Amino acid sequence: MTFLLLVFMLINFLDKAVLGLAAKPIMHELGLSPSEYGLLSSGFYFLFSLSAILVGFASDRVPTKWLLMAMALVWALTMLPVLAPVGFGVLLASRVVLGAAEGPANPVAMHAVHKWFPNEKRSLPTALLNVGPGIGVALASPLLAAVIAAFGWRWAFVSLFAVGVVWALLWAVLGKEGSVSDAESQHAGGTPDIEADESRVPYRRILLSGTWLGGFVGSFAAYWALALLIAWVPPYLETVLGYSPATTGTLVVLPWIATAVFNLAQGVLTQWLMRRGVSSRMARGVLGAVAILVAGIAMLLFPHAPAGGLQLALLTIAFSLGGVLFAIGVTVTSEITPSRQRGSVLSITVGIVTTAGLLAPYVTGLIIEAAPDPAAGYGLAFTAAGVLMLVGGLLAVIFVRPERDVRRLVRTRP
């Protein structure tokens, strides 16, 4: 089940990333300005957050198998309108629908996989699901770039339609629901068990806890960087750094490969630390905060680094290392949330965090358009992202304290 869900998340990010890979020919064919392309990228997130929250509440009542299959089929269908002559409006509408269907993907997939593992064993499978996007984009970006170069950007979308349909058919046959009982979900270090009974914790208590708030701010900053990676890094490599489309398709793989490596390493390291009695605050909270702080520093430095290996290394770290906070944020949120409320709380979390995806591409487009030249605009946009990541990392290291918040939430149960 973990492997199937990993492939599900792989397809999820390919559907997002294809627009960035095809950005230059789309902007040329449709005559789009940077701000219009930014709006097109942001359109993916118009209904993303609302859908994540609504479907998340449904996931506490409806089997995740059917929710995931329905999402995959809608993703596939949104790829087809490009077969007909399309303008900005049609392409925007298809991206809005795709975003609405992809909004619940991460929380519902995490809810599904967490049904198979107790708390102390969730770090690795959670990391694996977050590895999916990196693996997917790393493997498929050069292929999609080649398809775009040889056949045109529309056929890249059609290829993803076929992949989505195949996954939905496999899931219909093989997908199952996990059944780990609440009693099996124990907290390391003698922490009171949030799963110990069936009473609910008020949502406001969970969402106002330091752990949730610290994880949210850090994840918001990391998602801002992710949105820039998807929408603006490919055109930056071509427009400012002067790489060819084929080389761009290869170079854009670097942050995604690093994301996969960092997420997998985080999962293994976190699980190893917790098995040896290290607190969740240190093994998850501090580790994630340090990662996004380092990524923020790299984000500030790479636009000013000399062209070549050093610049690409800093760019790779800037757009990959902070991503470990997504897996960590999901895991610590699950840690402080009763299982019967987990789907809805994870969906609320993802819904709010991903508003960064709604803002980042469009705001960046406005910055680039207002700058005296593209290089200056990109530099200013990346600096703003770096500062946001530093602030998010500092707040995460201060406030993410799962053990403390579990105790508080247990005491506030009705």
Side-chain angles (χ1 to χ4, degrees), residues 1-2 5 56 58-68 107-119 121-122 125-126 129 171 176-182 184-185 195 334 339-340 342-343 346:
M1 291 305 102
T2 302
L5 291 169
S59 71
D60 287 332
R61 298 167 177 81
V62 179
T64 54
K65 173 175 178 173
W66 305 116
L67 292 174
L68 293 166
V108 175
M110 293 297 179
H111 183 37
V113 81
H114 286 182
K115 291 181 179 182
W116 292 89
F117 300 92
N119 174 62
K121 295 183 180 179
R122 286 177 187 155
T126 301
L129 262 61
W171 182 253
K176 297 179 182 179
E177 296 289 317
S179 58
V180 171
S181 67
D182 290 345
E184 292 178 85
S185 190
E195 311 282 9
S334 285
S339 61
R340 63 188 298 184
R342 187 186 304 132
L346 289 178

mmCIF file of all heavy atoms in Angstrom, residues 1-2 5 56 58-68 107-119 121-122 125-126 129 171 176-182 184-185 195 334 339-340 342-343 346:
data_model
loop_
_atom_site.group_PDB
_atom_site.id
_atom_site.type_symbol
_atom_site.label_atom_id
_atom_site.label_comp_id
_atom_site.label_asym_id
_atom_site.label_seq_id
_atom_site.Cartn_x
_atom_site.Cartn_y
_atom_site.Cartn_z
ATOM 1 N N MET A 1 0.831 -1.206 0.000
ATOM 2 C CA MET A 1 0.000 0.000 0.000
ATOM 3 C C MET A 1 0.871 1.264 0.000
ATOM 4 O O MET A 1 0.561 2.255 -0.670
ATOM 5 C CB MET A 1 -0.922 0.007 1.231
ATOM 6 C CG MET A 1 -2.023 -1.047 1.205
ATOM 7 S SD MET A 1 -3.061 -1.001 -0.269
ATOM 8 C CE MET A 1 -2.392 -2.358 -1.210
ATOM 9 N N THR A 2 1.966 1.199 0.750
ATOM 10 C CA THR A 2 2.864 2.355 0.783
ATOM 11 C C THR A 2 3.441 2.623 -0.597
ATOM 12 O O THR A 2 3.533 3.778 -1.035
ATOM 13 C CB THR A 2 4.001 2.122 1.795
ATOM 14 O OG1 THR A 2 3.430 1.881 3.087
ATOM 15 C CG2 THR A 2 4.909 3.336 1.890
ATOM 16 N N LEU A 5 0.801 4.206 -2.862
ATOM 17 C CA LEU A 5 0.568 5.589 -2.483
ATOM 18 C C LEU A 5 1.758 6.470 -2.863
ATOM 19 O O LEU A 5 1.592 7.651 -3.190
ATOM 20 C CB LEU A 5 0.283 5.678 -0.984
ATOM 21 C CG LEU A 5 -1.058 5.073 -0.559
ATOM 22 C CD1 LEU A 5 -1.142 4.953 0.961
ATOM 23 C CD2 LEU A 5 -2.223 5.915 -1.076
ATOM 24 N N GLY A 56 -10.928 16.386 3.315
ATOM 25 C CA GLY A 56 -10.289 15.866 4.523
ATOM 26 C C GLY A 56 -11.297 15.462 5.579
ATOM 27 O O GLY A 56 -11.166 14.408 6.218
ATOM 28 N N ALA A 58 -14.313 14.557 4.919
ATOM 29 C CA ALA A 58 -14.970 13.367 4.382
ATOM 30 C C ALA A 58 -14.125 12.118 4.595
ATOM 31 O O ALA A 58 -14.661 11.020 4.774
ATOM 32 C CB ALA A 58 -15.249 13.563 2.890
ATOM 33 N N SER A 59 -12.785 12.275 4.629
ATOM 34 C CA SER A 59 -11.913 11.110 4.763
ATOM 35 C C SER A 59 -12.008 10.450 6.131
ATOM 36 O O SER A 59 -11.557 9.320 6.304
ATOM 37 C CB SER A 59 -10.451 11.500 4.482
ATOM 38 O OG SER A 59 -9.928 12.296 5.532
ATOM 39 N N ASP A 60 -12.581 11.148 7.114
ATOM 40 C CA ASP A 60 -12.825 10.522 8.413
ATOM 41 C C ASP A 60 -14.051 9.620 8.377
ATOM 42 O O ASP A 60 -14.300 8.874 9.321
ATOM 43 C CB ASP A 60 -13.006 11.590 9.492
ATOM 44 C CG ASP A 60 -11.689 12.277 9.848
ATOM 45 O OD1 ASP A 60 -10.633 11.629 9.704
ATOM 46 O OD2 ASP A 60 -11.723 13.445 10.264
ATOM 47 N N ARG A 61 -14.836 9.706 7.282
ATOM 48 C CA ARG A 61 -16.084 8.947 7.182
ATOM 49 C C ARG A 61 -16.156 8.048 5.951
ATOM 50 O O ARG A 61 -16.857 7.049 5.956
ATOM 51 C CB ARG A 61 -17.273 9.919 7.170
ATOM 52 C CG ARG A 61 -17.375 10.745 8.446
ATOM 53 C CD ARG A 61 -18.352 11.909 8.294
ATOM 54 N NE ARG A 61 -18.494 12.650 9.541
ATOM 55 C CZ ARG A 61 -17.647 13.582 9.969
ATOM 56 N NH1 ARG A 61 -16.586 13.878 9.229
ATOM 57 N NH2 ARG A 61 -17.837 14.207 11.112
ATOM 58 N N VAL A 62 -15.461 8.428 4.893
ATOM 59 C CA VAL A 62 -15.492 7.679 3.634
ATOM 60 C C VAL A 62 -14.172 6.928 3.485
ATOM 61 O O VAL A 62 -13.109 7.490 3.758
ATOM 62 C CB VAL A 62 -15.688 8.633 2.430
ATOM 63 C CG1 VAL A 62 -15.705 7.859 1.126
ATOM 64 C CG2 VAL A 62 -16.970 9.434 2.603
ATOM 65 N N PRO A 63 -14.191 5.664 3.052
ATOM 66 C CA PRO A 63 -12.930 4.925 2.858
ATOM 67 C C PRO A 63 -11.978 5.669 1.936
ATOM 68 O O PRO A 63 -12.368 6.179 0.876
ATOM 69 C CB PRO A 63 -13.390 3.602 2.228
ATOM 70 C CG PRO A 63 -14.789 3.423 2.716
ATOM 71 C CD PRO A 63 -15.371 4.811 2.785
ATOM 72 N N THR A 64 -10.727 5.738 2.339
ATOM 73 C CA THR A 64 -9.742 6.480 1.549
ATOM 74 C C THR A 64 -9.512 5.839 0.179
ATOM 75 O O THR A 64 -9.101 6.525 -0.757
ATOM 76 C CB THR A 64 -8.397 6.561 2.303
ATOM 77 O OG1 THR A 64 -7.977 5.241 2.667
ATOM 78 C CG2 THR A 64 -8.534 7.418 3.548
ATOM 79 N N LYS A 65 -9.789 4.551 0.047
ATOM 80 C CA LYS A 65 -9.597 3.903 -1.249
ATOM 81 C C LYS A 65 -10.369 4.608 -2.344
ATOM 82 O O LYS A 65 -9.835 4.902 -3.419
ATOM 83 C CB LYS A 65 -10.033 2.430 -1.174
ATOM 84 C CG LYS A 65 -10.028 1.741 -2.531
ATOM 85 C CD LYS A 65 -10.343 0.268 -2.455
ATOM 86 C CE LYS A 65 -10.359 -0.341 -3.863
ATOM 87 N NZ LYS A 65 -10.502 -1.812 -3.848
ATOM 88 N N TRP A 66 -11.652 4.898 -2.082
ATOM 89 C CA TRP A 66 -12.487 5.480 -3.124
ATOM 90 C C TRP A 66 -12.181 6.953 -3.340
ATOM 91 O O TRP A 66 -12.260 7.457 -4.455
ATOM 92 C CB TRP A 66 -13.963 5.263 -2.780
ATOM 93 C CG TRP A 66 -14.249 3.810 -2.544
ATOM 94 C CD1 TRP A 66 -14.662 3.220 -1.391
ATOM 95 C CD2 TRP A 66 -14.091 2.751 -3.495
ATOM 96 N NE1 TRP A 66 -14.775 1.857 -1.550
ATOM 97 C CE2 TRP A 66 -14.441 1.543 -2.828
ATOM 98 C CE3 TRP A 66 -13.693 2.698 -4.826
ATOM 99 C CZ2 TRP A 66 -14.397 0.309 -3.475
ATOM 100 C CZ3 TRP A 66 -13.656 1.458 -5.467
ATOM 101 C CH2 TRP A 66 -14.002 0.286 -4.784
ATOM 102 N N LEU A 67 -11.815 7.653 -2.290
ATOM 103 C CA LEU A 67 -11.436 9.052 -2.448
ATOM 104 C C LEU A 67 -10.190 9.183 -3.323
ATOM 105 O O LEU A 67 -10.124 10.032 -4.219
ATOM 106 C CB LEU A 67 -11.172 9.690 -1.077
ATOM 107 C CG LEU A 67 -12.386 9.879 -0.157
ATOM 108 C CD1 LEU A 67 -11.925 10.374 1.211
ATOM 109 C CD2 LEU A 67 -13.372 10.865 -0.763
ATOM 110 N N LEU A 68 -9.194 8.338 -3.078
ATOM 111 C CA LEU A 68 -7.947 8.404 -3.837
ATOM 112 C C LEU A 68 -8.166 8.038 -5.302
ATOM 113 O O LEU A 68 -7.607 8.672 -6.201
ATOM 114 C CB LEU A 68 -6.904 7.479 -3.208
ATOM 115 C CG LEU A 68 -6.406 7.908 -1.813
ATOM 116 C CD1 LEU A 68 -5.661 6.767 -1.141
ATOM 117 C CD2 LEU A 68 -5.521 9.140 -1.911
ATOM 118 N N PRO A 107 -2.957 14.976 2.312
ATOM 119 C CA PRO A 107 -3.507 14.557 3.602
ATOM 120 C C PRO A 107 -4.249 13.227 3.549
ATOM 121 O O PRO A 107 -4.160 12.423 4.485
ATOM 122 C CB PRO A 107 -4.447 15.703 3.982
ATOM 123 C CG PRO A 107 -4.747 16.415 2.718
ATOM 124 C CD PRO A 107 -3.513 16.272 1.878
ATOM 125 N N VAL A 108 -4.981 12.976 2.464
ATOM 126 C CA VAL A 108 -5.716 11.712 2.379
ATOM 127 C C VAL A 108 -4.742 10.546 2.209
ATOM 128 O O VAL A 108 -4.918 9.481 2.823
ATOM 129 C CB VAL A 108 -6.740 11.754 1.229
ATOM 130 C CG1 VAL A 108 -7.414 10.391 1.063
ATOM 131 C CG2 VAL A 108 -7.816 12.818 1.512
ATOM 132 N N ALA A 109 -3.705 10.727 1.405
ATOM 133 C CA ALA A 109 -2.704 9.663 1.260
ATOM 134 C C ALA A 109 -1.984 9.400 2.581
ATOM 135 O O ALA A 109 -1.735 8.245 2.950
ATOM 136 C CB ALA A 109 -1.697 10.037 0.166
ATOM 137 N N MET A 110 -1.648 10.473 3.308
ATOM 138 C CA MET A 110 -0.999 10.300 4.607
ATOM 139 C C MET A 110 -1.935 9.615 5.599
ATOM 140 O O MET A 110 -1.525 8.732 6.362
ATOM 141 C CB MET A 110 -0.556 11.661 5.155
ATOM 142 C CG MET A 110 0.546 12.323 4.376
ATOM 143 S SD MET A 110 2.080 11.345 4.393
ATOM 144 C CE MET A 110 3.123 12.395 3.374
ATOM 145 N N HIS A 111 -3.194 10.029 5.595
ATOM 146 C CA HIS A 111 -4.180 9.385 6.473
ATOM 147 C C HIS A 111 -4.281 7.900 6.142
ATOM 148 O O HIS A 111 -4.351 7.046 7.039
ATOM 149 C CB HIS A 111 -5.525 10.080 6.286
ATOM 150 C CG HIS A 111 -6.610 9.576 7.171
ATOM 151 N ND1 HIS A 111 -6.408 9.181 8.478
ATOM 152 C CD2 HIS A 111 -7.944 9.391 6.935
ATOM 153 C CE1 HIS A 111 -7.561 8.784 9.014
ATOM 154 N NE2 HIS A 111 -8.498 8.902 8.100
ATOM 155 N N ALA A 112 -4.250 7.589 4.836
ATOM 156 C CA ALA A 112 -4.352 6.187 4.415
ATOM 157 C C ALA A 112 -3.147 5.380 4.882
ATOM 158 O O ALA A 112 -3.289 4.271 5.416
ATOM 159 C CB ALA A 112 -4.490 6.108 2.893
ATOM 160 N N VAL A 113 -1.938 5.927 4.698
ATOM 161 C CA VAL A 113 -0.745 5.155 5.068
ATOM 162 C C VAL A 113 -0.596 5.068 6.585
ATOM 163 O O VAL A 113 -0.086 4.069 7.112
ATOM 164 C CB VAL A 113 0.521 5.758 4.417
ATOM 165 C CG1 VAL A 113 1.057 6.959 5.173
ATOM 166 C CG2 VAL A 113 1.615 4.697 4.267
ATOM 167 N N HIS A 114 -1.033 6.092 7.320
ATOM 168 C CA HIS A 114 -0.929 6.052 8.778
ATOM 169 C C HIS A 114 -1.868 5.022 9.396
ATOM 170 O O HIS A 114 -1.701 4.648 10.558
ATOM 171 C CB HIS A 114 -1.207 7.443 9.363
ATOM 172 C CG HIS A 114 -0.085 8.408 9.157
ATOM 173 N ND1 HIS A 114 -0.107 9.698 9.627
ATOM 174 C CD2 HIS A 114 1.114 8.270 8.523
ATOM 175 C CE1 HIS A 114 1.015 10.316 9.292
ATOM 176 N NE2 HIS A 114 1.765 9.457 8.613
ATOM 177 N N LYS A 115 -2.843 4.544 8.621
ATOM 178 C CA LYS A 115 -3.706 3.469 9.117
ATOM 179 C C LYS A 115 -2.976 2.133 9.179
ATOM 180 O O LYS A 115 -3.482 1.171 9.756
ATOM 181 C CB LYS A 115 -4.933 3.312 8.203
ATOM 182 C CG LYS A 115 -5.917 4.478 8.257
ATOM 183 C CD LYS A 115 -7.109 4.203 7.343
ATOM 184 C CE LYS A 115 -8.119 5.339 7.393
ATOM 185 N NZ LYS A 115 -9.305 5.048 6.550
ATOM 186 N N TRP A 116 -1.784 2.075 8.574
ATOM 187 C CA TRP A 116 -1.027 0.827 8.535
ATOM 188 C C TRP A 116 0.120 0.782 9.538
ATOM 189 O O TRP A 116 0.767 -0.260 9.690
ATOM 190 C CB TRP A 116 -0.459 0.600 7.124
ATOM 191 C CG TRP A 116 -1.507 0.314 6.100
ATOM 192 C CD1 TRP A 116 -2.190 1.222 5.343
ATOM 193 C CD2 TRP A 116 -2.019 -0.965 5.721
ATOM 194 N NE1 TRP A 116 -3.086 0.596 4.521
ATOM 195 C CE2 TRP A 116 -3.007 -0.761 4.729
ATOM 196 C CE3 TRP A 116 -1.733 -2.272 6.116
ATOM 197 C CZ2 TRP A 116 -3.708 -1.805 4.133
ATOM 198 C CZ3 TRP A 116 -2.431 -3.313 5.520
ATOM 199 C CH2 TRP A 116 -3.403 -3.076 4.546
ATOM 200 N N PHE A 117 0.411 1.912 10.229
ATOM 201 C CA PHE A 117 1.582 1.975 11.105
ATOM 202 C C PHE A 117 1.259 2.681 12.414
ATOM 203 O O PHE A 117 0.546 3.696 12.406
ATOM 204 C CB PHE A 117 2.731 2.746 10.418
ATOM 205 C CG PHE A 117 3.197 2.132 9.131
ATOM 206 C CD1 PHE A 117 2.648 2.537 7.922
ATOM 207 C CD2 PHE A 117 4.176 1.160 9.126
ATOM 208 C CE1 PHE A 117 3.069 1.977 6.731
ATOM 209 C CE2 PHE A 117 4.604 0.593 7.938
ATOM 210 C CZ PHE A 117 4.050 0.999 6.734
ATOM 211 N N PRO A 118 1.775 2.193 13.555
ATOM 212 C CA PRO A 118 1.675 2.947 14.814
ATOM 213 C C PRO A 118 2.585 4.165 14.782
ATOM 214 O O PRO A 118 3.467 4.272 13.925
ATOM 215 C CB PRO A 118 2.127 1.940 15.873
ATOM 216 C CG PRO A 118 3.030 0.995 15.127
ATOM 217 C CD PRO A 118 2.469 0.909 13.736
ATOM 218 N N ASN A 119 2.404 5.080 15.743
ATOM 219 C CA ASN A 119 3.095 6.373 15.720
ATOM 220 C C ASN A 119 4.598 6.249 15.578
ATOM 221 O O ASN A 119 5.224 6.927 14.761
ATOM 222 C CB ASN A 119 2.757 7.160 16.987
ATOM 223 C CG ASN A 119 3.559 8.447 17.083
ATOM 224 O OD1 ASN A 119 3.443 9.319 16.233
ATOM 225 N ND2 ASN A 119 4.384 8.554 18.122
ATOM 226 N N LYS A 121 6.419 4.221 14.199
ATOM 227 C CA LYS A 121 6.886 3.685 12.918
ATOM 228 C C LYS A 121 6.381 4.495 11.721
ATOM 229 O O LYS A 121 6.490 4.046 10.580
ATOM 230 C CB LYS A 121 6.457 2.220 12.774
ATOM 231 C CG LYS A 121 7.099 1.294 13.795
ATOM 232 C CD LYS A 121 6.691 -0.148 13.564
ATOM 233 C CE LYS A 121 7.346 -1.082 14.590
ATOM 234 N NZ LYS A 121 6.935 -2.496 14.385
ATOM 235 N N ARG A 122 5.825 5.674 11.970
ATOM 236 C CA ARG A 122 5.243 6.446 10.862
ATOM 237 C C ARG A 122 6.241 7.332 10.135
ATOM 238 O O ARG A 122 5.971 7.777 9.018
ATOM 239 C CB ARG A 122 4.097 7.329 11.387
ATOM 240 C CG ARG A 122 2.843 6.556 11.721
ATOM 241 C CD ARG A 122 1.772 7.455 12.292
ATOM 242 N NE ARG A 122 0.640 6.660 12.765
ATOM 243 C CZ ARG A 122 -0.195 7.057 13.706
ATOM 244 N NH1 ARG A 122 -0.017 8.235 14.290
ATOM 245 N NH2 ARG A 122 -1.193 6.289 14.071
ATOM 246 N N PRO A 125 7.473 5.643 6.532
ATOM 247 C CA PRO A 125 6.478 5.650 5.450
ATOM 248 C C PRO A 125 6.025 7.049 5.059
ATOM 249 O O PRO A 125 5.759 7.307 3.881
ATOM 250 C CB PRO A 125 5.309 4.824 6.025
ATOM 251 C CG PRO A 125 5.549 4.750 7.477
ATOM 252 C CD PRO A 125 7.017 4.833 7.677
ATOM 253 N N THR A 126 5.956 7.958 6.029
ATOM 254 C CA THR A 126 5.615 9.338 5.688
ATOM 255 C C THR A 126 6.675 9.945 4.795
ATOM 256 O O THR A 126 6.377 10.628 3.804
ATOM 257 C CB THR A 126 5.467 10.183 6.969
ATOM 258 O OG1 THR A 126 4.441 9.620 7.793
ATOM 259 C CG2 THR A 126 5.100 11.622 6.632
ATOM 260 N N LEU A 129 6.402 8.640 1.180
ATOM 261 C CA LEU A 129 5.381 9.308 0.380
ATOM 262 C C LEU A 129 5.852 10.680 -0.072
ATOM 263 O O LEU A 129 5.483 11.151 -1.150
ATOM 264 C CB LEU A 129 4.071 9.426 1.158
ATOM 265 C CG LEU A 129 3.035 8.344 0.831
ATOM 266 C CD1 LEU A 129 3.565 6.968 1.167
ATOM 267 C CD2 LEU A 129 1.730 8.613 1.562
ATOM 268 N N TRP A 171 -5.127 0.748 -8.555
ATOM 269 C CA TRP A 171 -5.625 1.020 -7.206
ATOM 270 C C TRP A 171 -6.999 0.400 -6.987
ATOM 271 O O TRP A 171 -7.311 -0.092 -5.899
ATOM 272 C CB TRP A 171 -5.655 2.525 -6.961
ATOM 273 C CG TRP A 171 -6.105 2.911 -5.593
ATOM 274 C CD1 TRP A 171 -7.303 3.471 -5.242
ATOM 275 C CD2 TRP A 171 -5.373 2.766 -4.364
ATOM 276 N NE1 TRP A 171 -7.364 3.688 -3.894
ATOM 277 C CE2 TRP A 171 -6.189 3.263 -3.327
ATOM 278 C CE3 TRP A 171 -4.115 2.264 -4.052
ATOM 279 C CZ2 TRP A 171 -5.774 3.280 -1.995
ATOM 280 C CZ3 TRP A 171 -3.709 2.281 -2.729
ATOM 281 C CH2 TRP A 171 -4.535 2.780 -1.722
ATOM 282 N N LYS A 176 -6.401 -1.132 -0.454
ATOM 283 C CA LYS A 176 -7.061 -1.616 0.762
ATOM 284 C C LYS A 176 -6.945 -0.573 1.868
ATOM 285 O O LYS A 176 -6.109 0.320 1.804
ATOM 286 C CB LYS A 176 -6.422 -2.928 1.242
ATOM 287 C CG LYS A 176 -6.549 -4.089 0.273
ATOM 288 C CD LYS A 176 -5.857 -5.333 0.826
ATOM 289 C CE LYS A 176 -5.933 -6.489 -0.167
ATOM 290 N NZ LYS A 176 -5.233 -7.699 0.349
ATOM 291 N N GLU A 177 -7.786 -0.719 2.897
ATOM 292 C CA GLU A 177 -7.744 0.154 4.063
ATOM 293 C C GLU A 177 -6.909 -0.479 5.167
ATOM 294 O O GLU A 177 -7.034 -1.681 5.433
ATOM 295 C CB GLU A 177 -9.161 0.401 4.610
ATOM 296 C CG GLU A 177 -10.082 1.150 3.663
ATOM 297 C CD GLU A 177 -9.713 2.610 3.506
ATOM 298 O OE1 GLU A 177 -9.403 3.263 4.523
ATOM 299 O OE2 GLU A 177 -9.729 3.105 2.362
ATOM 300 N N GLY A 178 -6.054 0.302 5.822
ATOM 301 C CA GLY A 178 -5.309 -0.190 6.976
ATOM 302 C C GLY A 178 -6.203 -0.255 8.203
ATOM 303 O O GLY A 178 -7.283 0.330 8.241
ATOM 304 N N SER A 179 -5.729 -0.948 9.234
ATOM 305 C CA SER A 179 -6.570 -1.140 10.422
ATOM 306 C C SER A 179 -5.755 -1.155 11.710
ATOM 307 O O SER A 179 -6.074 -1.901 12.640
ATOM 308 C CB SER A 179 -7.354 -2.452 10.309
ATOM 309 O OG SER A 179 -6.458 -3.548 10.144
ATOM 310 N N VAL A 180 -4.696 -0.329 11.786
ATOM 311 C CA VAL A 180 -3.940 -0.245 13.037
ATOM 312 C C VAL A 180 -4.845 0.354 14.098
ATOM 313 O O VAL A 180 -5.436 1.414 13.912
ATOM 314 C CB VAL A 180 -2.675 0.622 12.862
ATOM 315 C CG1 VAL A 180 -2.016 0.887 14.209
ATOM 316 C CG2 VAL A 180 -1.700 -0.077 11.930
ATOM 317 N N SER A 181 -4.959 -0.318 15.231
ATOM 318 C CA SER A 181 -5.859 0.144 16.280
ATOM 319 C C SER A 181 -5.250 1.318 17.030
ATOM 320 O O SER A 181 -4.039 1.506 17.065
ATOM 321 C CB SER A 181 -6.164 -0.992 17.258
ATOM 322 O OG SER A 181 -4.998 -1.336 17.974
ATOM 323 N N ASP A 182 -6.117 2.101 17.667
ATOM 324 C CA ASP A 182 -5.649 3.236 18.449
ATOM 325 C C ASP A 182 -4.679 2.805 19.543
ATOM 326 O O ASP A 182 -3.730 3.493 19.875
ATOM 327 C CB ASP A 182 -6.835 3.974 19.091
ATOM 328 C CG ASP A 182 -7.660 4.714 18.046
ATOM 329 O OD1 ASP A 182 -7.165 4.893 16.917
ATOM 330 O OD2 ASP A 182 -8.791 5.116 18.368
ATOM 331 N N GLU A 184 -2.460 0.661 19.522
ATOM 332 C CA GLU A 184 -1.106 0.378 19.039
ATOM 333 C C GLU A 184 -0.290 1.637 18.830
ATOM 334 O O GLU A 184 0.913 1.577 18.624
ATOM 335 C CB GLU A 184 -1.193 -0.381 17.715
ATOM 336 C CG GLU A 184 -1.746 -1.789 17.850
ATOM 337 C CD GLU A 184 -1.845 -2.431 16.472
ATOM 338 O OE1 GLU A 184 -0.834 -2.991 16.018
ATOM 339 O OE2 GLU A 184 -2.921 -2.375 15.866
ATOM 340 N N SER A 185 -0.944 2.798 18.811
ATOM 341 C CA SER A 185 -0.245 4.043 18.491
ATOM 342 C C SER A 185 0.270 4.686 19.755
ATOM 343 O O SER A 185 -0.403 5.485 20.384
ATOM 344 C CB SER A 185 -1.192 4.989 17.755
ATOM 345 O OG SER A 185 -0.503 6.087 17.249
ATOM 346 N N GLU A 195 -4.249 8.621 21.732
ATOM 347 C CA GLU A 195 -5.219 7.685 21.179
ATOM 348 C C GLU A 195 -5.891 6.825 22.266
ATOM 349 O O GLU A 195 -6.606 5.907 21.948
ATOM 350 C CB GLU A 195 -4.505 6.729 20.204
ATOM 351 C CG GLU A 195 -3.618 7.407 19.190
ATOM 352 C CD GLU A 195 -4.401 8.024 18.045
ATOM 353 O OE1 GLU A 195 -5.640 8.060 18.144
ATOM 354 O OE2 GLU A 195 -3.784 8.460 17.077
ATOM 355 N N SER A 334 -0.032 14.349 13.203
ATOM 356 C CA SER A 334 -0.657 13.060 13.522
ATOM 357 C C SER A 334 -0.407 12.676 14.978
ATOM 358 O O SER A 334 -1.273 12.090 15.640
ATOM 359 C CB SER A 334 -0.110 11.965 12.608
ATOM 360 O OG SER A 334 -0.642 12.060 11.321
ATOM 361 N N SER A 339 -6.848 9.587 16.108
ATOM 362 C CA SER A 339 -6.945 9.013 14.767
ATOM 363 C C SER A 339 -8.275 9.319 14.099
ATOM 364 O O SER A 339 -8.330 9.508 12.885
ATOM 365 C CB SER A 339 -6.736 7.494 14.821
ATOM 366 O OG SER A 339 -7.724 6.889 15.617
ATOM 367 N N ARG A 340 -9.372 9.394 14.872
ATOM 368 C CA ARG A 340 -10.671 9.639 14.262
ATOM 369 C C ARG A 340 -10.796 11.076 13.776
ATOM 370 O O ARG A 340 -11.734 11.400 13.050
ATOM 371 C CB ARG A 340 -11.795 9.305 15.244
ATOM 372 C CG ARG A 340 -11.802 10.150 16.495
ATOM 373 C CD ARG A 340 -12.819 9.631 17.503
ATOM 374 N NE ARG A 340 -14.174 9.679 16.970
ATOM 375 C CZ ARG A 340 -15.245 9.357 17.682
ATOM 376 N NH1 ARG A 340 -15.112 8.932 18.937
ATOM 377 N NH2 ARG A 340 -16.453 9.437 17.161
ATOM 378 N N ARG A 342 -7.842 12.613 12.502
ATOM 379 C CA ARG A 342 -6.587 12.849 11.798
ATOM 380 C C ARG A 342 -6.800 13.331 10.373
ATOM 381 O O ARG A 342 -6.144 14.270 9.907
ATOM 382 C CB ARG A 342 -5.740 11.581 11.795
ATOM 383 C CG ARG A 342 -4.342 11.795 11.223
ATOM 384 C CD ARG A 342 -3.592 10.480 11.095
ATOM 385 N NE ARG A 342 -3.530 9.794 12.373
ATOM 386 C CZ ARG A 342 -3.827 8.520 12.547
ATOM 387 N NH1 ARG A 342 -4.236 7.779 11.533
ATOM 388 N NH2 ARG A 342 -3.746 7.973 13.738
ATOM 389 N N GLY A 343 -7.711 12.692 9.628
ATOM 390 C CA GLY A 343 -7.924 13.089 8.247
ATOM 391 C C GLY A 343 -8.330 14.536 8.107
ATOM 392 O O GLY A 343 -7.822 15.270 7.253
ATOM 393 N N LEU A 346 -5.271 16.917 9.261
ATOM 394 C CA LEU A 346 -4.228 16.960 8.239
ATOM 395 C C LEU A 346 -4.695 17.762 7.025
ATOM 396 O O LEU A 346 -3.917 18.499 6.412
ATOM 397 C CB LEU A 346 -3.837 15.549 7.811
ATOM 398 C CG LEU A 346 -3.051 14.718 8.823
ATOM 399 C CD1 LEU A 346 -2.774 13.319 8.267
ATOM 400 C CD2 LEU A 346 -1.746 15.395 9.207
#
